[in-house]
Amino acid sequence: MLDLQSFIRRIKSGESPQQAINEMISQAAELINTFFLNSHHKFGAGDSNWDPSQVWLIMKLLSECDTISYSDLVKLPLFKVSKETLEILTTLEKYDLISLKRDKGVSEKICTGRPLFKAAFANIISD
């Protein structure tokens, strides 16, 4: 909803729909680069650290398909060695980068947290 409101504000301020979308994608990609890819971050109490290469891999996979199987992700070398995979994913979900789909409380699938981020992922990966 916030992305839609931002889009509407941009249109009202005189941007064309394509300009507004392109600028929003660019800003989202910049945010992701700054906070999730450039270094290890610990945002708040209880947040776990993540490795930027893990975030990169998730973005790459989600830019290629709509969902990632949790069981497939934890088998990949970057996540296999991390005992905190679920903590990392939960933290990334908290910041809307991803969304975890659960079945009876068990993580089953991972998808992009916001539609704008899917476009930003593709932008970052193709850059």
Side-chain angles (χ1 to χ4, degrees):
M1 192 60 145
L2 293 174
D3 293 334
L4 180 58
Q5 290 171 339
S6 177
F7 178 72
I8 291 168
R9 273 193 309 276
R10 288 177 170 279
I11 298 298
K12 286 182 177 180
S13 72
E15 290 184 21
S16 72
Q18 193 60 50
Q19 286 174 316
I21 290 291
N22 289 343
E23 189 59 31
M24 290 173 67
I25 291 169
S26 178
Q27 287 177 346
E30 187 176 319
L31 175 104
I32 292 166
N33 274 317
T34 301
F35 291 104
F36 297 100
L37 295 176
N38 284 336
S39 63
H40 299 273
H41 279 80
K42 190 167 183 99
F43 281 104
D47 286 352
S48 59
N49 286 320
W50 59 81
D51 184 325
S53 59
Q54 292 171 315
V55 176
W56 177 266
L57 180 58
I58 290 171
M59 288 187 337
K60 183 174 181 342
L61 294 171
L62 287 174
S63 70
E64 296 169 355
C65 59
D66 290 334
T67 62
I68 306 167
S69 162
Y70 177 80
S71 60
D72 290 343
L73 183 74
V74 296
K75 293 175 188 171
L76 297 173
L78 278 174
F79 290 93
K80 200 174 192 178
V81 296
S82 177
K83 292 180 175 75
E84 299 93 19
T85 295
L86 189 55
E87 283 180 42
I88 292 165
L89 294 175
T90 302
T91 299
L92 296 178
E93 181 180 43
K94 178 179 172 181
Y95 294 101
D96 285 336
L97 200 66
I98 63 167
S99 178
L100 295 171
K101 303 299 178 194
R102 296 169 177 89
D103 182 25
K104 297 177 186 160
V106 177
S107 295
E108 192 173 78
K109 294 185 186 276
I110 303 156
C111 59
T112 308
R114 293 167 39 194
L116 180 63
F117 284 161
K118 182 157 181 89
F121 293 170
N123 181 284
I124 292 168
I125 298 300
S126 70
D127 195 11

